[in-house]
Amino acid sequence: MSTDQTTNTFSKHPVHRSMRARSAVIIGLTGLVFAVGLTLFVEIDQRAQLTRTISDNSRREAQFLGHSISMSLKERVLQIRQVAAMPEVSSGLGDPGKMRLALEQVRNYHNELTWLGIVNRKGQVEVATGAWLEGQTITSRPWFTEGLKGVWVGQPRPAGELADKVPRDPDGSPPLFMDLAVPIIDYEGRTIGVVTAMLDWSTVREQHRAMTSQQGEMGVNSFLISPTGEVTIGEPEQIGKHLDVPGLPAVMANGKAEVIDWPDGKAYLTAAAPIRLMDDPNAPAWTLVRRQEASQALAPVARARDRVLGAALLMSLLFMAVSWLIAGRIANPLRELARTAQRLRAGEQVDFPPDRDEAPTELRTLTNALREMESSRQAQLNQLQSSTTRFRTLIDTIPESLVVAQDGQIQLINRACLAMHQIDQPDRLLGQPVLSLFTAAEQIRMTQQLGQLGHQDHLPTFETELQTAQGTALPVKVNAWAIQTAAGRVQHLLIEDISERQRLQSERERYQQDLEEQIRERTLELQQARDKAESANRAKSAFLANMSHEIRTPMNAIIGMTYLLRERPNPAEDTKRLTLIAEASEHLMRLLNDVLDLSKIESGKMTMETIDFSLAATVSRCMELIRDKAQGKGLKLIVDRRYADDTIAGDPTRLSQALLNLLSNAVKFTSQGSVTLRVMHTQLDAGEPAIRFEVEDTGMGIAPDQLQRIFEPFEQADNSTTRRYGGSGLGLTITRSLVEQMGGRLGATSEPGQGSLFWFTVPAQDRPSVHVATSESPSNNGVRSDADVILKQYHQDSRVLLVEDNQVNRLLAQELLSMVGLRVDAVVNGAEAVAHAAQHQYDIVLMDVHMPEMDGLEATRRIRQNTLYASVPIVAMTASVMADEQDACLTAGMNALIEKPLDARKLYDTLLRLLRR
């Protein structure tokens, strides 16, 4: 049958005509549905892309604005920190005029800083630009309370107390300011105040206006909302108010742009993004809100939708007409061939029908072609599967990441690439732009590199940053080349992870820098140690020379007067000579006590007691001890008492020692005028109550460069001071250590020719439940003056065992004991003492500690083993005043200690106290 006959036959058959109509209608309706669906898809996709773009733009604008403002605030905070770190500011002793000038210079350099001020810890403005608010107390301001804790950045607020001193904004509205505060840290690490500044918020508005000037032409408005919800940048009528817009909180929460209704009755496409004005992750977040009228924002989407829908409808109608013409001729043969082709596509085994002569040539040719295509396709498929398997195995064994791309789109990746991007499914990368593999900062550079592969076969190896699926940047090295194929140029990227290599290199460089820094620090420490050692040696040499003079001078008096007493006795002069010998001996004793006190302090063995004592009695006793020297020089002594509670808890002995050192120095270095002692209540830095002592004189004064040296061991103002006034140079060192151990501080101010003021503070401790020490208390070294009389009257003929190996000390002790009527048996070591104690009953034992054969500690322990001596007092006689030796004596069983050289009054007082028990 011919082709024309076949066509006529099909046209006469009603089934074929119905199929032809149905095919045309179905194809037309399918095209129409496809057109509508495509239009909706395009509209939805375009709208989604637009909202994503607006959201991304909002985030980028927020990041850029936040970064710009953060950098500006960092610079201002750094400038304020530099002011807080200035020595005159951090010391708290700077000249107000100079500090005000420094603040004015900062304000002139940064015009946006309207006002700067320095506030002390009590909240009082000490110095400020323009002298504004100086002297006022502002402890309730947040920037003061938070500034004491660390760097603080506030939120925009009105000018407040400075409203009448700053101009209004150009639009006539009241200005807004942002507070900045930095703590002032002194050299001891304590916070002593705050440096604060007021930043003109209009500068931030201008910065934002400059960034968004082009957006205004497109109908885009931006609002900057503070963490508390007020509008700080935006429409003038909205400044300082909360945005009451339904749906805006949801946009701010999920970060996606949405069309919402605003109070003005219009619908806006609205987006929001957070902003952090400071790098601190704990800092409160601001919010940037962008809006654009929905009709204007979505206009391009509507136009694209209308164009696509019109074109789709026109194509559907045209396709219906063409399908109507050809459907009748090829319906049945093509349907059969279509079924065959579908089975082939499904991979089924197909048996092609035998050739028929009556079949049209085109159909037979098409059938044969399908048969040959099936055979060839099967062979190619087998070969392709084998080749693909080998190629896939090969590229998956490469340790580096391999990316194959064409026309900028990823076509192939290996397993190493998936691992490097931290993803499991290759479908997430296949078909994506090659640039999406790299960070946003590197995409421009990668565009240039990949563009060179359009005309170059290979590029030099270069380094860049890859972006993983988690958004982290990964440093890599890229080897890129291109191959020309029939389908175009195929780009290949071999990517190697170099993060570990860079980390090792960075660690090696950091280690080298640390090592160099340690070498520099160690060298500096060695230099400082050498200088300190040399300075200490010089100071000690001067101290030894001074001590030699201080010791030889009284020794000269003792030796000389002793010689005169022995060779030229003169009853009229002997009393005076003995007085001079006693004074010289007391001077030597004071020198020894000072050296021993310094040794205790340096070894950390100086101990403090805590008892209740009368502050008035202590002060009066100290004044009485220096009164004779002061009157001898014609000086006036003044006591200024400014305290309410007379009884305090502490160590009265050490307090008296510190106070006497300062008073004695004041009398020594004052030739005329007066010496004033002030005692008053005060507070330590932590707010703890304390007592402050001030000793002020009208003497020679001290130069500023020498004022700090006088508190160091072996130091005085200069050598001429030693030559003129004498002294060991240890008094102020001991005084400072005593004050610090009592929990206080010592300081001084002085001006040459105008006198000096030395002061110290000690805590006013809570009083424990013990006795109050008075002038007669043992804590104040009180000694009964009539002890010798009472011993003669009530304890005459009491037996005393004296154990002393030194002949001179033994004779001296025997004489002193015999003078009050005591019967004395003297032995020279501990062994003899144990033997005598076993043979005789004594009322009291005086035991030297350091003796040959058996020392006093062992002898005491053995005597205590005798039940007859369980309660007999044993008194240690020792030249050592160290606490550990005194503890050893008490532990061995001794009842008390008497220091050598012996003081007769203390000896009698101790004997009387123990014999009475």
Side-chain angles (χ1 to χ4, degrees):
M1 183 182 295
S2 66
T3 304
D4 295 335
Q5 291 174 337
T6 304
T7 303
N8 293 333
T9 302
F10 288 151
S11 62
K12 293 179 182 179
H13 203 287
V15 176
H16 291 108
R17 287 197 301 270
S18 176
M19 181 179 295
R20 178 181 182 186
R22 287 198 303 270
S23 298
V25 172
I26 292 173
I27 291 174
L29 292 176
T30 302
L32 181 60
V33 172
F34 175 79
V36 174
L38 178 62
T39 301
L40 293 176
F41 174 80
V42 169
E43 182 180 10
I44 294 172
D45 181 70
Q46 290 293 322
R47 185 163 182 163
Q49 290 184 12
L50 180 61
T51 55
R52 284 197 301 270
T53 300
I54 292 177
S55 300
D56 293 340
N57 289 342
S58 299
R59 283 190 290 271
R60 284 194 293 270
E61 180 182 340
Q63 292 173 356
F64 185 77
L65 178 61
H67 179 72
S68 301
I69 297 176
S70 176
M71 293 299 294
S72 177
L73 291 178
K74 279 184 180 178
E75 182 179 357
R76 307 304 175 266
V77 170
L78 177 60
Q79 193 71 28
I80 298 174
R81 274 185 168 173
Q82 292 175 353
V83 173
M86 293 171 61
E88 55 268 36
V89 176
S90 60
S91 67
L93 303 176
D95 179 67
K98 292 183 179 180
M99 291 190 290
R100 187 181 298 108
L101 178 59
L103 295 180
E104 292 291 349
Q105 290 175 346
V106 174
R107 186 180 68 171
N108 292 337
Y109 185 75
H110 298 285
N111 294 329
E112 64 273 19
L113 296 179
T114 303
W115 177 81
L116 295 96
I118 298 177
V119 185
N120 61 25
R121 187 172 182 84
K122 296 180 180 179
Q124 185 176 21
V125 179
E126 294 185 343
V127 178
T129 55
W132 296 347
L133 302 183
E134 286 188 359
Q136 295 190 21
T137 301
I138 46 173
T139 55
S140 61
R141 302 297 186 271
W143 53 261
F144 171 74
T145 56
E146 297 297 329
L148 289 174
K149 303 174 184 176
V151 176
W152 187 77
V153 177
Q155 299 182 18
R157 65 172 182 83
E161 51 272 302
L162 295 179
D164 59 338
K165 298 182 182 298
V166 295
R168 300 175 76 87
D169 285 344
D171 58 358
S173 60
L176 296 179
F177 298 91
M178 174 179 280
D179 295 322
L180 309 176
V182 172
I184 302 174
I185 310 298
D186 67 4
Y187 71 96
E188 294 182 351
R190 299 171 305 172
T191 302
I192 64 173
V194 173
V195 178
T196 183
M198 291 174 55
L199 174 67
D200 190 351
W201 186 248
S202 62
T203 59
V204 180
R205 292 180 183 171
E206 291 300 328
Q207 186 177 2
H208 174 263
R209 186 178 294 113
M211 292 172 51
T212 59
S213 58
Q214 296 181 352
Q215 297 179 3
E217 300 175 359
M218 299 183 293
V220 179
N221 303 118
S222 297
F223 299 87
L224 183 61
I225 302 175
S226 69
T228 55
E230 293 88 1
V231 176
T232 60
I233 296 178
E235 299 295 334
E237 62 272 14
Q238 298 288 348
I239 298 298
K241 300 179 180 179
H242 288 263
L243 286 178
D244 187 13
V245 180
L248 182 58
V251 174
M252 295 172 63
N254 57 37
K256 295 182 180 180
E258 294 181 11
V259 176
I260 60 176
D261 295 327
W262 283 64
D264 58 0
K266 297 181 181 180
Y268 291 86
L269 183 59
T270 307
I275 293 181
R276 293 200 179 271
L277 301 186
M278 297 297 291
D279 292 339
D280 184 2
N282 297 323
W286 296 57
T287 305
L288 179 69
V289 178
R290 299 175 76 250
R291 73 175 189 179
Q292 186 179 13
E293 287 192 26
S295 59
Q296 185 176 359
L298 301 178
V301 177
R303 289 193 295 269
R305 177 198 61 202
D306 295 339
R307 288 195 295 268
V308 172
L309 183 59
L313 290 175
L314 182 60
M315 292 299 297
S316 297
L317 293 176
L318 180 61
F319 196 72
M320 287 177 65
V322 173
S323 62
W324 174 267
L325 295 176
I326 64 174
R329 296 182 58 86
I330 61 174
N332 285 335
L334 287 182
R335 185 182 299 111
E336 185 178 353
L337 289 177
R339 284 197 297 266
T340 303
Q342 288 176 354
R343 294 177 62 191
L344 289 175
R345 184 177 62 182
E348 299 178 6
Q349 187 67 29
V350 178
D351 295 329
F352 288 92
D355 292 337
R356 297 176 181 177
D357 294 337
E358 66 275 10
T361 303
E362 292 82 357
L363 292 178
R364 284 190 299 169
T365 302
L366 181 58
T367 302
N368 293 332
L370 285 176
R371 186 182 294 110
E372 294 174 359
M373 288 175 59
E374 163 61 12
S375 178
S376 175
R377 184 190 67 83
Q378 190 63 41
Q380 291 178 358
L381 181 61
N382 294 335
Q383 183 179 2
L384 180 61
Q385 289 178 346
S386 177
S387 176
T388 300
T389 301
R390 291 195 302 272
F391 180 70
R392 190 75 217 184
T393 303
L394 177 62
I395 66 172
D396 284 341
T397 58
I398 299 175
E400 292 83 6
S401 174
L402 179 63
V403 178
V404 180
Q406 187 173 10
D407 297 331
Q409 306 297 318
I410 300 175
Q411 304 297 327
L412 178 66
I413 56 175
N414 64 349
R415 292 179 181 176
C417 182
L418 296 176
M420 189 174 295
H421 283 79
Q422 302 176 8
I423 60 176
D424 299 329
Q425 301 298 327
D427 294 341
R428 295 180 58 182
L429 293 179
L430 295 178
Q432 298 296 321
V434 178
L435 295 178
S436 64
L437 299 177
F438 303 93
T439 61
E442 290 290 319
Q443 288 184 2
I444 297 178
R445 177 170 171 241
M446 287 302 302
T447 300
Q448 298 173 351
Q449 296 282 1
L450 296 178
Q452 296 179 13
L453 287 179
H455 52 84
Q456 294 183 15
D457 292 338
H458 192 275
L459 295 180
T461 301
F462 59 92
E463 295 182 359
T464 182
E465 287 186 344
L466 206 70
Q467 181 167 313
T468 66
Q470 283 68 32
T472 58
L474 183 69
V476 295
K477 182 177 70 174
V478 179
N479 187 9
W481 70 92
I483 299 177
Q484 185 66 43
T485 64
R489 293 183 69 81
V490 179
Q491 300 169 339
H492 299 74
L493 302 179
L494 191 63
I495 304 173
E496 179 185 358
D497 182 1
I498 61 173
S499 58
E500 183 65 18
R501 186 178 69 187
Q502 287 189 355
R503 185 185 67 80
L504 294 176
Q505 177 67 21
S506 176
E507 289 184 356
R508 183 163 54 251
E509 293 176 353
R510 185 168 60 255
Y511 175 77
Q512 183 176 359
Q513 293 175 356
D514 292 343
L515 182 59
E516 293 175 354
E517 182 64 24
Q518 291 176 7
I519 293 174
R520 286 194 297 268
E521 292 178 355
R522 184 56 179 164
T523 302
L524 180 60
E525 290 175 358
L526 291 175
Q527 292 174 349
Q528 292 174 346
R530 182 196 63 191
D531 295 341
K532 187 175 181 180
E534 292 176 352
S535 175
N537 286 334
R538 289 193 298 270
K540 288 185 178 180
S541 297
F543 169 73
L544 291 176
N546 181 36
M547 288 298 291
S548 176
H549 170 78
E550 290 294 319
I551 293 174
R552 288 175 181 271
T553 298
M555 284 299 296
N556 178 61
I558 295 172
I559 295 172
M561 292 300 163
T562 304
Y563 176 81
L564 291 177
L565 286 170
R566 185 175 66 247
E567 299 295 333
R568 295 179 60 186
N570 185 349
E573 296 291 333
D574 286 350
T575 301
K576 182 177 179 181
R577 292 170 180 173
L578 291 173
T579 301
L580 292 175
I581 292 174
E583 290 178 352
S585 300
E586 290 177 357
H587 180 72
L588 285 175
M589 197 64 192
R590 285 195 297 272
L591 287 177
L592 291 175
N593 288 335
D594 284 347
V595 174
L596 289 174
D597 283 345
L598 180 62
S599 175
K600 289 181 181 179
I601 291 169
E602 291 183 345
S603 63
K605 296 183 179 180
M606 177 69 77
T607 58
M608 297 287 172
E609 66 176 345
T610 302
I611 63 172
D612 283 1
F613 67 94
S614 171
L615 184 59
T618 302
V619 171
S620 298
R621 185 168 54 257
C622 292
M623 296 300 291
E624 286 298 324
L625 290 175
I626 66 165
R627 187 174 302 279
D628 291 342
K629 292 183 179 180
Q631 291 177 350
K633 299 180 69 174
L635 301 179
K636 182 180 180 181
L637 293 180
I638 302 173
V639 180
D640 183 5
R641 296 182 176 91
R642 306 177 187 174
Y643 54 87
D645 190 0
D646 177 60
T647 302
I648 64 173
D651 190 328
T653 302
R654 297 306 180 185
L655 180 62
S656 299
Q657 183 179 355
L659 192 55
L660 275 175
N661 281 344
L662 297 185
L663 289 170
S664 299
N665 282 348
V667 172
K668 179 193 297 185
F669 295 109
T670 303
S671 58
Q672 60 181 356
S674 62
V675 174
T676 302
L677 171 62
R678 300 185 186 90
V679 187
M680 64 196 75
H681 283 290
T682 185
Q683 286 186 345
L684 300 179
D685 294 336
E688 181 182 358
I691 303 295
R692 179 182 176 96
F693 299 85
E694 294 182 355
V695 177
E696 184 176 10
D697 61 61
T698 58
M700 58 189 295
I702 305 172
D705 59 335
Q706 299 173 345
L707 193 59
Q708 292 301 321
R709 291 198 303 114
I710 63 176
F711 293 104
E712 299 299 326
F714 322 123
E715 294 282 0
Q716 289 188 342
D718 55 41
N719 291 333
S720 64
T721 302
T722 303
R723 293 192 297 270
R724 181 178 177 186
Y725 295 98
S728 62
L730 299 178
L732 287 177
T733 302
I734 295 173
T735 300
R736 182 180 66 177
S737 299
L738 291 175
V739 170
E740 290 177 351
Q741 287 203 27
M742 287 187 285
R745 293 174 55 197
L746 172 67
T749 58
S750 182
E751 185 175 346
Q754 301 296 322
S756 306
L757 187 148
F758 285 80
W759 60 268
F760 68 88
T761 59
V762 293
Q765 304 178 16
D766 293 336
R767 299 192 297 274
S769 298
V770 296
H771 70 283
V772 177
T774 65
S775 60
E776 295 300 322
S777 173
S779 299
N780 293 317
N781 296 325
V783 177
R784 294 185 63 99
S785 61
D786 57 348
D788 54 342
V789 177
I790 299 175
L791 285 173
K792 289 181 182 179
Q793 183 176 359
Y794 295 102
H795 299 283
Q796 191 172 13
D797 295 331
S798 295
R799 298 195 65 181
V800 180
L801 176 59
L802 173 64
V803 188
E804 173 61 66
D805 65 321
N806 184 274
Q807 182 179 2
V808 175
N809 291 341
R810 190 167 61 250
L811 290 175
L812 175 60
Q814 283 181 295
E815 288 293 332
L816 293 175
L817 295 173
S818 298
M819 287 173 60
V820 293
L822 301 177
R823 291 190 298 160
V824 182
D825 291 342
V827 295
V828 298
N829 57 54
E832 294 183 8
V834 174
H836 274 67
Q839 299 173 4
H840 307 282
Q841 179 66 39
Y842 293 99
D843 299 305
I844 192 168
V845 179
L846 297 182
M847 181 75 70
D848 186 17
V849 176
H850 300 284
M851 294 179 294
E853 296 189 25
M854 182 185 294
D855 61 23
L857 300 178
E858 180 62 25
T860 299
R861 283 191 285 267
R862 294 192 181 186
I863 291 174
R864 288 298 187 198
Q865 293 176 359
N866 189 338
T867 57
L868 297 176
Y869 283 88
S871 60
V872 173
I874 300 178
V875 181
M877 297 190 301
T878 177
S880 175
V881 294
M882 303 306 290
D884 51 355
E885 183 162 328
Q886 294 179 2
D887 292 340
C889 293
L890 298 176
T891 303
M894 298 181 179
N895 301 92
L897 291 91
I898 299 178
E899 300 174 357
K900 296 179 181 178
L902 293 177
D903 184 307
R905 291 192 304 165
K906 291 184 178 179
L907 175 62
Y908 294 151
D909 183 79
T910 302
L911 292 175
L912 177 61
R913 179 163 45 85
L914 294 176
L915 289 173
R916 279 180 169 180
R917 297 197 317 175

